[in-house]
Amino acid sequence: MYRLNRITVIFAFVLVLAGIINCAASESSLSIEQTFQKAKKDYLEKNIDSAAKQIKKGAAYMRAEAVKASSRGKKALDDSARELDKLADDVKKGAVESVKKIEDVFARAYFALAEESYIESTEAWAKKEAVKTGEFLDAANKNLEKGMIWAGQKVEEKTTGTMKKSRELSLKLKQKGRLITEEVGKSLQAIGDEIEKFGKRISSEGLNEK
């Protein structure tokens, strides 16, 4: 009888664990942009509990991304998750007086995502995996663009040009077109520089200096 009960308990635990894993997988597949947009909308409409809940979802997403991230990109994603958790708590306590604070935290989340995508693109290119390089480069570009929108920063002409070339290159890579190694290397370096520059602009220290 004892053995039967033990087996039942173990089986029940496995089922619960499987449910948790499936739930997490489903959650991570949701659009982080939709989550952020809803959080902002709820905050502006004074639906504070819902806004805090959405921000917590964003933190969970970033934490899930950190788990599967490269060693170089993991810290920024973890830091973003913690910052989102704190923001959610502050929102719930009524300690956030401006939507700009929320937007800045979301911008930094996108910086972390852009940085990780960029790292993965360079690692994929080092392995000569053109399609993966293109996919990660495309993700880096999109995350950088969304981050800039949330930060409300004017995009410089040079940055616009770099992002345009990056989009074109990612498309070529995904289509398995013939590319010169030097061309890819220069484009990866250029978008990496833009991501780094954006990160410095939206860092907590940088924003406090304004």
Side-chain angles (χ1 to χ4, degrees):
M1 178 64 72
Y2 172 76
R3 185 178 178 185
L4 181 61
N5 287 339
R6 187 179 176 188
I7 292 172
T8 303
V9 169
I10 292 172
F11 181 66
F13 175 75
V14 170
L15 286 176
V16 170
L17 185 61
I20 292 171
I21 291 171
N22 286 335
C23 181
S26 174
E27 187 70 35
S28 66
S29 67
L30 295 174
S31 166
I32 188 67
E33 179 64 18
Q34 289 177 343
T35 299
F36 285 169
Q37 289 289 352
K38 188 170 189 325
K40 178 182 176 179
K41 182 174 181 288
D42 286 340
Y43 174 81
L44 291 173
E45 293 177 353
K46 309 298 182 186
N47 193 350
I48 300 304
D49 285 345
S50 180
K53 184 179 178 181
Q54 292 301 316
I55 296 169
K56 283 285 187 183
K57 280 174 66 176
Y61 178 90
M62 299 301 287
R63 205 167 285 112
E65 290 298 301
V67 169
K68 58 186 181 182
S70 64
S71 57
R72 289 160 57 199
K74 181 178 173 61
K75 184 180 182 302
L77 292 164
D78 276 331
D79 287 347
S80 175
R82 282 191 290 272
E83 186 176 30
L84 284 162
D85 273 331
K86 184 178 184 306
L87 176 64
D89 293 339
D90 288 345
V91 165
K92 197 160 189 176
K93 289 186 292 187
V96 177
E97 298 178 357
S98 169
V99 72
K100 185 67 172 71
K101 181 176 180 180
I102 293 174
E103 292 171 342
D104 288 342
V105 173
F106 291 172
R108 285 193 284 275
Y110 270 117
F111 162 69
L113 291 169
E115 186 176 51
E116 170 58 16
S117 295
Y118 167 70
I119 290 168
E120 289 182 320
S121 71
T122 59
E123 290 179 351
W125 182 244
K127 298 173 185 175
K128 301 304 177 189
E129 296 174 341
V131 176
K132 282 188 177 181
T133 301
E135 290 171 351
F136 288 131
L137 183 57
D138 185 45
N141 215 40
K142 287 176 179 175
N143 287 325
L144 176 59
E145 188 173 20
K146 287 176 182 174
M148 287 178 169
I149 291 171
W150 277 108
Q153 294 185 357
K154 183 180 178 181
V155 182
E156 298 172 0
E157 189 175 339
K158 180 185 175 185
T159 301
T160 302
T162 298
M163 292 174 74
K164 182 175 182 291
K165 288 179 181 177
S166 177
R167 279 193 295 270
E168 292 170 352
L169 177 62
S170 68
L171 185 61
K172 287 180 183 178
L173 286 163
K174 286 189 285 185
Q175 292 176 341
K176 299 182 181 180
R178 293 188 64 186
L179 293 164
I180 301 171
T181 301
E182 185 181 357
E183 176 189 357
V184 178
K186 283 183 178 179
S187 188
L188 286 173
Q189 182 62 53
I191 195 67
D193 290 344
E194 291 299 334
I195 291 170
E196 183 180 4
K197 185 167 66 176
F198 176 61
K200 288 177 180 176
R201 278 190 201 156
I202 61 165
S203 67
S204 299
E205 294 79 5
L207 290 170
N208 289 335
E209 288 172 3
K210 292 182 179 180

